Amino acid sequence: MRSRRTAPLEAVLLSVLVLVGAQACGPGADGTPGGSGPRTGGHLTYAVKKEPDCWDPHTSAQDVTAFVQRPVFDSLVYQTPDGELEPWLAQSWRTSEDGEVYTFTLRQDVTFHDGTPLDAEAVKANFDHITAKETRSQYAAGLLGPYQGTTVTGKYQLEVRFERPYAPFLQALSTTYLGIASPASLKAGADKLCSGTDSVGSGPFKAGAYLRGQQRQYSRNPDYQWAPEHAGHSGPAMLDSLTLRFIAEDTTRVGALTSGQVSAIDAVPANQAPMVSRDPHLGILTMDVPGVVDTFFLNTRSELFSDVRVRTAFQRAIDLDAITKSVFQGTGTRAWSPLAPSTPHSYDAALEKSWPFDRALAGRLLDEAGWTGRDAQGYRTRDGRTLTVVAPVYGKPSLFSQAVQGDLKKSGIRLDLAASTDATEVAGRLAQGRYDVVETSWGRADGDMLSHFFLTTEGSATGHNFSRVSDPGVDDWLRRAQASQSPDERAADYAEVQRWALDQAAVVPAYVVKAAVGVNRKVHGLRLGSSAWPEFYGAWTEAR
């Protein structure tokens, strides 16, 4: 059975179009022991900027869903913070010579929070749930790529089959989206799983009381003995309990940290990072988010951007260095590729400095394309029509987007930030191709993220191929990368795709998204994982 995403496009857009703001860098809590040394017990409260719309990682595409459910759900494979893969619930695996079959041998000492044991049938039940039409998976099913099915070959052994070689599978398995839940809990139904009331995994923490709009509680799993080798700890979690509080407003969230109401927060805004860093009781953990950077995806099939000259003019008319420095107060990093430099075995560093800001070039290209007139506001015109680039935005435009809007006006380009809180309306625009550009980012520590944006089959129905490209050469590079077990070979193919996307002006990579976690210095052992979200398993707090 081949997997496919069946969720409505508007549901996907709730995840895709809410942009991740870049954060400031600064000195962080270093995780080194305090005067009393590591201790078991205690409680940690962490403030999160966004609350999940759906708590089922098999259904939701939101990165925050993967984060809040990571303490509960383990995965077959673990990806270390430096991007390497190692066993977790899977004790070992092997890949067939043709790359189409993965055989896994599971650990035999794992139990779910409801007391049932992990076995091969449990893993199969999870893959069946992910690919079931009723689950309406927005992302997890896509991570399975050309999935055919799973066969149980022994109590603790199973085979996962694909229609063609699929090397990204192992990294995909390390994500929470393909995390393993208790089979009994999967029978609760979509509504309960999405509501967060029936989350049952095998992780170091058990899901506790949940008060929507306010907080989620977790308690330590005392039986936990199956952490991956490089998780930074072994045995049960150090903390007795953990609470995630949902505080959307930046100033309120930072205030909760500085006042001691919470021990750590995510998304420290750039304009408040200096204040947090100056506080002797606080620090900031930072990490570049791997995957696709904040990027403008240009619709190569729209009436305006079907002309590569106009696309290139848009690309080169934005002074990204100046905007990034201004908006993020000197702490942000402009992007040169659609992939972040932190993406393992994928980033093409040769692209750096290869397409600098050039307003004069943009002007010449627009002249060639016939946009030679000017209206009363200074925008370019052709045949009485203003050069207007339509950019759907779900929610409110970011400060960065507004800065780009102002910069483009200097070249006579009007950027219409068509903001709406109606997901159905925004989804309709995208599904029908009624847009010129989409700005978004997507975190994942694997170069195959490029497939989700540029592979021909990732069309508007799945909500990812926003540039609406369909190029046999690009498809060949991406398919070849998916088929290769060699990191170097995959990197070479991903480099070709990155260069093509820039040469064709299908994208304008804007800035590298940064995670910035504010931490009280009494918190230790808290580290950012491969996806740049905090890992609470090895965290501990000094006694008050």
Side-chain angles (χ1 to χ4, degrees), residues 69 71-74 89 110-116 126 179-183 185 198-207 221 224 226:
Q69 293 289 47
V72 177
F73 295 119
D74 293 333
L89 296 183
V110 178
T111 56
F112 293 105
H113 299 155
D114 59 10
T116 59
N126 275 261
I180 306 300
S182 163
S185 71
D198 286 77
S199 301
V200 182
S202 62
F205 292 93
K206 298 180 181 181
N221 176 8
Y224 196 75
W226 42 87

Side-chain angles (χ1 to χ4, degrees), residues 55-70:
W55 287 74
D56 183 6
H58 293 174
T59 295
S60 175
Q62 292 181 291
D63 54 0
V64 69
T65 301
F67 165 58
V68 299
Q69 293 289 47
R70 180 81 288 177

